[in-house]
Amino acid sequence: MSGQLVPCSPAEIGALFLFEKLSPEQLGQLCSSGRVEKFEPGPVYTEGEPATCFYVMIEGTVVLSRRVGGDDVEVTRTSQSGVYAGSMQAYLGDRVRQDYKNSMRVTEPTRFFVLPGEKFSEFMQEWFPMAVHLLEGLFFGSQSTQRAIGQRERLLALGSLSAGLTHELNNPAAAAVRATATLRERVGKMRHKLAVIAQGNYAPEVMANLIDIQDRTAERVAKAPTLSPLEASDREDAVTDWLDDHDIQNGWRLAPTFVQAGLDVDWLDQVAAAVDEELLPNAIGWLNYTVETELLMDEINDSTNRISHLVDAAKQYSQLDRAPFQNADVHELLDSTLLMLSGKIGQRIKVVKEYDRTLPKIPAYPAELNQVWTNVIDNAVAAINSAGGEGTLNVRTALDHERLLVEFRDTGPGVPKEIRSRIFDPFFTTKPVGEGTGLGLDISWRIVVNKHHGTLQVESRPGDTRFQVLLPLTAAESETSEELE
């Protein structure tokens, strides 16, 4: 936007705090290289456009805003003479992208001293060479430090996830190993018991009946009902009594296995009716091994399925085999992240999911959204642990004014009001030295706001802190896969 050109007075611009130490000659150079423009109420420049000019307000009222999601969020409103904006990093030249970092508008007729960016850079290099070197070092040093600590933040998160995943995998893997060893022992005893039965002088039809009972017993194990502790105890007493009445040794040891497999007194009566009385003890022992092997194979199956589920969750979390940008189901991403962090969350923190499963898939970078969930959940767990370690983490999804809401609510002590506005700032952390880098929420903010054109905000009071991520349901007109710096 262009304003109305008005005369430039070296005395007037020399009264501005930014230029008050310049010599008359330097003020004259500024006036000859720049211009004074008067803008009527409305926009002056727009965020994202090439930053061509450096603006210093002489009089009026200026408003700076940032684009967040689909909204312009006001950042600053001031009438202070001498405030400046625009191409403030022109002295860095082509080493950084020279775009306006915000939008500027005026709410009343306002005069600016306007200096082209290349002239601003020349004067800075000529008049303040030492300051330029210091500013360059500060700018690029800060970027380098932020990248290095950002990588460390990711590595720390990866280490935590690896430890949690190893812990989660160890349990089912150990269970499968134990069940396999026990299964080998039971199969050996079953072969021995079968040899004892085969040595007896039993009619072929008796052996056929026994094999048929074995098959039907295995089928019954697969369909065993889930009993309450009281029901299981009553049934074990009844089965123990039946075994004792039929002179089966160690009936109290066999009864829990039979009950777990869904066998009851009626079933045992069928077994007794199908075989001779003298064969019954060996038949019961053989069926016990059958039941045990079936239960052990079920345990191995459950353990290996659990391992497979964890591996699938790890792949879903890392998105290693997925396109960087795709239509994603946030619920799948949330579930994989919660599973990856289950070891860190622990048993004392209750996780409550309130998902709106009717929500559509959204265009997103899934691996980076998983990083957002990780950072926010990690902070919630740390907050709950700081308050004693017991609490609730509530994860909710919903539709919020044509945007998808993902809300993380924890029962920790809350974020103090005096630091609430700083929690998304780079390097700001409330954790002890060595435990936090202060980049987790900064990275999350940039992923949500800059890369997904969404919003990340926090509402907090003691016992109720809510981090809310709002994501658009449709992709922006131009999506890029530009890496976060």
Side-chain angles (χ1 to χ4, degrees), residues 18 23 55 117 269 276 281 334 347 361 370 399 403 442:
L18 196 62
S23 68
Y55 293 82
D269 285 337
D276 295 336
L334 289 167
Q347 300 297 320
K361 292 184 177 181
N370 281 340
L399 188 64
R403 291 191 292 178
D442 168 57

Side-chain angles (χ1 to χ4, degrees), residues 59-134:
E59 62 176 355
T61 301
V62 66
V63 177
L64 297 180
S65 62
R66 291 291 304 271
R67 192 74 171 170
V68 180
D71 304 317
D72 285 316
V73 179
E74 184 174 314
V75 177
T76 303
R77 179 186 293 260
T78 181
S79 298
Q80 181 183 355
S81 177
V83 295
Y84 52 89
S87 57
M88 294 183 295
Q89 294 174 344
Y91 61 87
L92 295 172
D94 295 336
R95 287 173 290 177
V96 298
R97 187 171 175 174
Q98 297 291 339
D99 291 335
Y100 290 122
K101 306 304 181 186
N102 47 43
S103 296
M104 184 167 72
R105 61 186 174 89
V106 295
T107 59
E108 61 177 317
T110 302
R111 287 192 303 133
F112 289 97
F113 172 68
V114 183
L115 187 64
E118 62 271 14
K119 285 296 182 182
F120 175 54
S121 177
E122 287 178 15
F123 291 145
M124 287 287 290
Q125 299 284 350
E126 180 183 348
W127 297 346
F128 313 107
M130 181 176 177
V132 168
H133 287 307
L134 290 173

